[in-house]
Amino acid sequence: MCWSATADLWAGLGIGAVGAASLASVRRPGDAPLAALPLLLGAHQVVEAAVWHAGGGTGPATLAWAVIALPLLPLWVPLGVLAAARPADRPRLSVPLATGLATAAVLAHRLATRPVSAEIRGHTLGYAVDLPYAPLVLAGYLLATVGALLLARDRLLRVLGLLTGLGAGVCALLWRTEFVSTWCALAAAASLLLLAWVRGRPKPDPGPTVTPRPLSS
């Protein structure tokens, strides 16, 4: 996130509160993973506040931040979109999910075998981890996260995908070495749309009501 530990902390608490409200508003069990996404991203910003306080480096806060940002998000988002989708829409959503699984596996392996470090660069944080074929991994990451949202049938989810996709481009242009940190912060703010999405979801169809017939005498 940009600016400071204080900005990360307050942003994380605010977004986390929205995530709690989203979870409380869930009407369909399948909507719960996406409804919880602001809660996860809010916690992510709070963890980054701890990275600021530690002065960067390779400590536990840096590793916790990287685990959420790198292997967890490209798995969580497509799974959440798939869980909330209608059965007829799920085949096309298997592409970002499969991509997310492969991307998460690569990223998890690198975090398990290579150190990740954070460096304070003015008003931003930069993270460094040794990645093979970094452009390909980044493409898979964005296909899993942004692509899953863009392929959703729901309009608000597609708007969220559009905002995070545009944000990825802006962050890459403005903060090349701090891309992951700034983009995750933008995605957290954009995920406020999920509260409106959850509250606008229709109640599940209870199915046909069967009226018991009276026993004949």
Side-chain angles (χ1 to χ4, degrees):
M1 175 86 176
C2 299
W3 316 126
S4 67
T6 302
D8 261 326
L9 178 61
W10 285 108
L13 292 175
I15 293 165
V18 171
S22 296
L23 270 179
S25 302
V26 166
R27 298 175 178 178
R28 297 168 175 260
D31 294 346
L34 275 183
L37 183 58
L39 196 59
L40 175 68
L41 292 173
H44 196 218
Q45 297 307 122
V46 173
V47 169
E48 190 163 74
V51 178
W52 278 101
H53 280 298
T58 59
T62 298
L63 180 59
W65 187 95
V67 167
I68 297 173
L70 299 179
L72 186 54
L73 279 181
L75 194 56
W76 188 296
V77 175
L79 275 174
V81 175
L82 186 71
R86 300 185 309 177
D89 297 330
R90 289 174 182 169
R92 71 172 184 270
L93 294 172
S94 63
V95 174
L97 177 58
T99 305
L101 283 167
T103 302
V106 171
L107 292 170
H109 178 264
R110 299 309 281 191
L111 290 181
T113 58
R114 299 287 192 279
V116 57
S117 62
E119 180 185 355
I120 297 175
R121 298 166 181 164
H123 291 296
T124 58
L125 276 169
Y127 294 85
V129 60
D130 180 27
L131 287 179
Y133 310 106
L136 184 61
V137 173
L138 177 60
Y141 186 99
L142 292 176
L143 175 59
T145 52
V146 177
L149 293 167
L150 291 176
L151 287 174
R153 182 176 293 273
D154 190 278
R155 182 181 62 84
L156 277 177
L157 293 184
R158 293 199 303 270
V159 170
L160 177 58
L162 180 62
L163 288 176
T164 53
L166 290 174
V170 170
C171 291
L173 288 173
L174 295 180
W175 300 285
R176 184 177 178 183
T177 56
E178 298 86 0
F179 164 75
V180 178
S181 175
T182 51
W183 181 77
C184 283
L186 183 143
S191 69
L192 298 177
L193 283 171
L194 289 172
L195 178 59
W197 171 75
V198 170
R199 290 184 171 175
R201 295 280 280 171
K203 292 182 179 179
D205 185 1
T209 302
V210 177
T211 304
R213 297 177 61 183
L215 296 175
S216 56
S217 55

